[in-house]
Amino acid sequence: MAQVISTLFISADGVAEIDPDWHFPYFDENMGRAVGEDYDTSDVLLIGRETYDSFAGAWPDREAAGGEDAPFAKQLGDMRKVVVSRQPLEFSWRNSELVQGDLVDAVTTLKADAGIRGILIPGSISVVQQLLAAGLVDELRLLVHPVAARKGRRLFDDGAAPYHLNLMATEVFPTGVIRVIYSPTDSPAKVGYDEVKDHVPERQ
């Protein structure tokens, strides 16, 4: 079964809506490597309308320009891109298609497709939120910037129950960015103060 992986740039206070002013100062070769590793996990991109418009407005031109980022731009162009939009789209970027029907049903079908190795969701906060709620996200790959953005859309929206996460890997970059990879997991057993009071620091 294909893995669904969300990859996001995020601030220390949970804002995943990128502001170039706080994002680009921290983008170095380590972050570039991490991004490349994330994209190498998958052969399908699942993206929202805004992310598609942003990507399609930039990467085809970068591929055509033949600069240093052209190989990555070609990789993106060659990948199958499944776009989530409430409105019909006229696609200008090759290998792009619209999600047909309900998002959860469509992703469930994609995950079960034996011909798909992995499904990567870059950005696309609303898509990630819906799939987290449906239990369809297998990994959250976060590049946590050492900045409190203080404004912008956050990854985790208000809800009735918390999401519990299993820490799979961490890496600290010289810029202070922390790469964190989580997988959703079941809630731990309920514990109260009486069960943890033996761990309270002792006064000397």
Side-chain angles (χ1 to χ4, degrees):
M1 180 173 286
Q3 297 282 293
V4 173
I5 297 174
S6 164
T7 179
L8 289 157
F9 304 123
I10 192 167
S11 68
D13 58 341
V15 173
E17 183 179 1
I18 298 173
D19 183 333
D21 286 343
W22 64 252
H23 168 57
F24 282 122
Y26 297 102
F27 199 101
D28 66 354
E29 65 274 11
N30 297 288
M31 193 182 293
R33 169 183 53 80
V35 169
E37 290 173 358
D38 291 345
Y39 277 84
D40 288 343
T41 64
S42 303
D43 43 16
V44 173
L45 291 184
L46 177 66
I47 49 181
R49 169 67 182 270
E50 290 184 10
T51 301
Y52 175 82
D53 287 344
S54 175
F55 279 24
W59 289 112
D61 290 342
R62 292 169 182 166
E63 180 181 354
E68 292 182 0
D69 54 0
F72 182 64
K74 182 180 185 305
Q75 178 183 350
L76 295 183
D78 289 343
M79 292 180 76
R80 178 184 175 189
K81 291 166 283 291
V82 180
V83 184
V84 182
S85 174
R86 294 186 178 89
Q87 304 297 327
L89 289 174
E90 292 187 9
F91 292 112
S92 59
W93 200 10
R94 68 183 184 277
N95 300 324
S96 300
E97 63 192 75
L98 192 65
V99 164
Q100 300 298 320
D102 177 75
L103 172 63
V104 170
D105 290 343
V107 173
T108 300
T109 299
L110 286 171
K111 281 175 67 72
D113 188 331
I116 295 175
R117 177 167 55 93
I119 303 158
L120 187 70
I121 313 171
S124 308
I125 302 169
S126 176
V127 174
V128 176
Q129 289 174 340
Q130 292 176 68
L131 296 182
L132 274 172
L136 290 174
V137 175
D138 296 293
E139 287 187 13
L140 284 172
R141 297 189 169 206
L142 308 178
L143 288 162
V144 185
H145 294 50
V147 58
R150 303 184 65 194
K151 63 179 180 179
R153 191 169 185 184
R154 286 170 165 76
L155 169 59
F156 298 109
D157 53 359
D158 291 340
Y163 292 123
H164 293 274
L165 305 170
N166 177 46
L167 180 63
M168 300 176 65
T170 61
E171 183 179 3
V172 180
F173 300 155
T175 57
V177 170
I178 304 174
R179 186 188 192 191
V180 185
I181 302 178
Y182 290 115
S183 62
T185 190
D186 294 334
S187 302
K190 189 172 182 179
V191 174
Y193 179 74
D194 286 342
E195 286 78 26
V196 302
K197 62 185 180 182
D198 288 346
H199 303 301
V200 172
E202 294 182 3
R203 298 296 297 272
Q204 299 297 323

